[in-house]
């Protein structure tokens, strides 16, 4: 299993995540709203205040998508809650 993909995404206060029937993940927070289409090979579920990203099999393409979509959704959560900041 992907080391990145298997980590749950914690949702901070004020951030909501919705997954529709067409596999589009929408993240809403105090700084805005972002949405991302997720390949049907990957399953995204919201359990309490965590987002779980999982895959159906262990094929190479699904392993790649697993970590990719987990990272994209995590970045969306950070973007709508904290926003962008540059650190030197």
């Amino acid at each position: 299993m992907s080391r990145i993909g298997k980590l749950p995404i914690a949702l901070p206060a004020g951030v909501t995540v919705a997954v529709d029937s067409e596999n589009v993940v929408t993240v809403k927070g105090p700084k805005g709203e972002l949405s991302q289409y997720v390949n049907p090979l990957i399953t995204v579920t919201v359990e309490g205040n965590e987002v779980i990203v999982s895959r159906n099999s262990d094929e190479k393409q699904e392993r790649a998508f697993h970590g990719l979509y987990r990272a994209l959704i995590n970045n969306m959560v950070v973007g709508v809650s904290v926003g962008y900041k540059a650190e030197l």
Side-chain angles (χ1 to χ4, degrees):
M1 194 172 214
S2 169
R3 287 187 233 171
I4 297 295
K6 69 180 178 180
L7 298 174
I9 302 168
L11 297 177
V15 176
T16 60
V17 176
V19 183
D20 68 6
S21 61
E22 297 169 357
N23 238 16
V24 175
V25 177
T26 304
V27 181
K28 294 180 185 177
K31 298 209 179 253
E33 176 180 340
L34 297 169
S35 60
Q36 172 69 45
Y37 170 77
V38 177
N39 192 297
L41 299 173
I42 302 300
T43 305
V44 180
T45 56
V46 180
E47 298 177 1
N49 63 346
E50 289 185 335
V51 178
I52 308 295
V53 180
S54 59
R55 63 177 188 253
N56 299 327
S57 70
D58 205 29
E59 293 182 24
K60 185 175 183 177
Q61 188 66 47
E62 290 187 35
R63 290 193 316 255
F65 281 155
H66 192 203
L68 169 73
Y69 286 120
R70 191 269 178 200
L72 289 174
I73 295 169
N74 186 58
N75 289 341
M76 290 166 47
V77 170
V78 171
V80 299
S81 60
V82 178
Y84 175 78
K85 63 179 179 178
E87 293 182 25
L88 300 175

